[in-house]
Amino acid sequence: MTAAENNKPKRDTYRHGDLRNALIEAGLELAHQGGPEAVVLRAATRQAGVAPNAAYRHFTDRNALLHAVSQAAMAHLARTMEAEQAALPPTTDAAAAARARFRAVGTGYLRFAQEEPGLFRTAFHVPGDMTHAAADTAAGATGKTPFELLGAALDGLVEAGLLPEDRRPGAEFLAWSAVHGLAALLVDGPLRGLHPTQAHDAGQHVIDMIERGI
Amino acid sequence: MTAAENNKPKRDTYRHGDLRNALIEAGLELAHQGGPEAVVLRAATRQAGVAPNAAYRHFTDRNALLHAVSQAAMAHLARTMEAEQAALPPTTDAAAAARARFRAVGTGYLRFAQEEPGLFRTAFHVPGDMTHAAADTAAGATGKTPFELLGAALDGLVEAGLLPEDRRPGAEFLAWSAVHGLAALLVDGPLRGLHPTQAHDAGQHVIDMIERGI
DNA sequence: TCCGAATGTGGACATCGTACACAAAGGGTG
DNA sequence: CACCCTTTGTGTACGATGTCCACATTCGGA
């Protein structure tokens, strides 16, 4: 039996190859439609064509899987924010550019929340303890997490002279609070189902408030 | 068998009397420690000393029960905000009073989020559709929902001349976004476990930002 | 070549939400 | 007071889920 083609293995599922990532991918699909509570261990293994218990070779828990999916969703958010910045028209005015990059952080965040509510909720579903958004698994293409992207944009404002240096410390929490709050209200709060155009306007107003009040 | 004391009914559980409220109360207890996902139908009926299916005479769904619990938690939030306002020292300065009442809305909101994270998360757990925070079941002692309390405080700012009238429309969403966002970050975001003192400071900074940027 | 570690499978169990059929208590009408 | 219908709880049952345990297979070195 040296030939392998007719010597078919009794089980073709062994050595899936990359089951861990397959499960995360399945989890993302589930989270995409249904949010964190839809990330069901058995459903993920089913989608990966594998027995439920196989998951326990790669994750200690359903919670561990959910955590990994959450990180992946956070990375999606980071990429959306990066894309928003990358789509900015080029400018020679350094101050205008810094300001545009700052605003793009917020609009990208809000756009992701609206376009991918399931992933957004999953990204911020924190199952237990943790200092979530700081891990590198939550980073986007540039290697920055959403929080770091915000920090960089704020630094840009300071460099451009648009934000006094003494106002810089802690500013990320002010900006993040306002934008995240609006996102939460849009995704599953009383502002849910707002027309995308109106939601965009609301986002601009919130960012205006941040710029004034920061 | 005219006497009732020895004529004991075969089942003492019939006609609980107020099972619906007992279940909501049990649900609040569960939500208090464990948030919305801890509101388990069978656990609530158990605590009420009743068979699981009895719940279906008062709620169509586990979701309906959770919704009712959520409304009750929202009412708790409203009462906390009212208490925060009631504890304000009396002032003859009308403008200062209006401003203090406005800030108390925010600090009460944030205090509730920190002191009752389970109930806070439950209050904002929206299971499906809904225009949640507007129902009268979510109101506090004064009959106002959290959202209405905020609106009243903003009206007070306008009357006191602290907020230009043309800035009033939509202002609740700006203020709410900022405060709610901080609350979310404190309750299960990266700011979780912040020392109450630091959390209070962060809250004051956010409210400062709102006052400047609104 | 052989053997241990890694990876999947199968079966089992407690728990959960919920459907269906039944039982008892209460209230109204005669 | 008797009767019946509605309301409210009970009991049993089913499928789904997370997770535990024992077993099987495959892979990668010694």
Side-chain angles (χ1 to χ4, degrees):
Chain A
M1 289 209 214
T2 51
E5 56 266 23
N6 65 348
N7 178 17
K8 58 174 163 188
K10 300 206 176 94
R11 242 181 296 175
D12 59 347
T13 47
Y14 275 95
R15 294 304 122 114
H16 174 287
D18 198 9
L19 183 54
R20 174 170 223 277
N21 280 56
L23 289 174
I24 293 179
E25 215 58 36
L28 277 174
E29 174 66 25
L30 292 168
H32 165 69
Q33 31 166 310
E37 54 271 18
V39 179
V40 170
L41 194 148
R42 290 176 104 110
T45 58
R46 228 175 285 140
Q47 189 157 331
V50 122
N53 284 337
Y56 287 89
R57 300 296 169 188
H58 302 274
F59 302 96
T60 69
D61 239 4
R62 180 218 169 205
N63 236 317
L65 168 61
L66 180 52
H67 182 76
V69 174
S70 170
Q71 294 283 100
M74 189 71 85
H76 272 220
L77 168 58
R79 282 198 293 279
T80 299
M81 292 165 68
E82 289 167 353
E84 192 83 17
Q85 288 189 325
L88 249 33
T91 316
T92 53
D93 183 348
R99 182 157 174 252
R101 289 183 66 79
F102 171 71
R103 295 185 71 96
V105 166
T107 50
Y109 196 96
L110 290 167
R111 194 157 63 80
F112 183 77
Q114 281 226 297
E115 290 178 358
E116 292 287 356
L119 292 184
F120 181 81
R121 280 175 39 224
T122 304
F124 284 96
H125 175 93
V126 184
D129 45 0
M130 181 182 21
T131 35
H132 208 110
D136 58 339
T137 47
T142 64
K144 286 203 177 101
T145 66
F147 185 67
E148 292 167 347
L149 286 168
L150 171 58
L154 284 166
D155 288 342
L157 287 184
V158 173
E159 285 172 27
L162 293 174
L163 177 65
E165 247 180 281
D166 61 321
R167 282 216 173 286
R168 174 66 185 80
E172 36 259 281
F173 295 111
L174 298 182
W176 197 359
S177 290
V179 170
H180 182 72
L182 178 59
L185 297 181
L186 285 172
V187 165
D188 48 21
L191 265 50
R192 175 177 19 193
L194 208 61
H195 186 73
T197 308
Q198 297 173 301
H200 181 264
D201 288 351
Q204 295 305 308
H205 287 144
V206 164
I207 299 177
D208 290 344
M209 172 187 74
I210 296 170
E211 287 191 331
R212 277 194 300 267
I214 216 174
Chain B
M1 288 209 214
T2 51
E5 56 266 20
N6 65 348
N7 180 15
K8 59 175 162 187
K10 300 205 176 95
R11 238 183 298 175
D12 58 349
T13 48
Y14 275 93
R15 294 303 125 115
H16 174 288
D18 198 9
L19 183 53
R20 185 191 162 86
N21 279 60
L23 290 174
I24 294 180
E25 213 60 36
L28 277 174
E29 175 64 26
L30 292 168
H32 165 68
Q33 32 165 296
E37 55 270 16
V39 179
V40 172
L41 195 148
R42 290 177 103 110
T45 57
R46 227 174 286 140
Q47 190 157 330
V50 123
N53 285 337
Y56 287 89
R57 299 297 170 189
H58 302 275
F59 302 97
T60 68
D61 239 4
R62 180 220 167 203
N63 237 317
L65 168 61
L66 181 52
H67 183 76
V69 174
S70 170
Q71 293 283 100
M74 190 70 85
H76 273 220
L77 168 57
R79 281 197 293 277
T80 299
M81 292 164 68
E82 289 167 352
E84 192 82 18
Q85 288 189 326
L88 250 32
T91 317
T92 55
D93 183 347
R99 182 156 174 252
R101 289 183 65 80
F102 171 71
R103 294 185 71 96
V105 166
T107 48
Y109 196 95
L110 290 167
R111 194 157 62 80
F112 183 77
Q114 281 226 295
E115 291 177 357
E116 291 289 356
L119 292 184
F120 182 81
R121 281 174 39 224
T122 304
F124 285 97
H125 176 92
V126 184
D129 44 0
M130 180 183 22
T131 35
H132 208 110
D136 58 339
T137 47
T142 65
K144 286 203 177 102
T145 65
F147 186 68
E148 292 167 347
L149 286 169
L150 171 58
L154 284 166
D155 289 342
L157 287 184
V158 173
E159 284 172 28
L162 293 174
L163 178 65
E165 247 181 282
D166 61 321
R167 282 217 173 285
R168 174 64 184 80
E172 36 259 283
F173 295 111
L174 297 182
W176 196 2
S177 290
V179 170
H180 182 73
L182 176 59
L185 296 181
L186 285 172
V187 165
D188 49 22
L191 264 50
R192 174 178 21 190
L194 208 61
H195 186 74
T197 308
Q198 297 173 301
H200 181 264
D201 288 352
Q204 295 305 307
H205 287 144
V206 164
I207 298 176
D208 290 344
M209 173 187 73
I210 295 170
E211 286 190 331
R212 278 194 299 267
I214 216 173

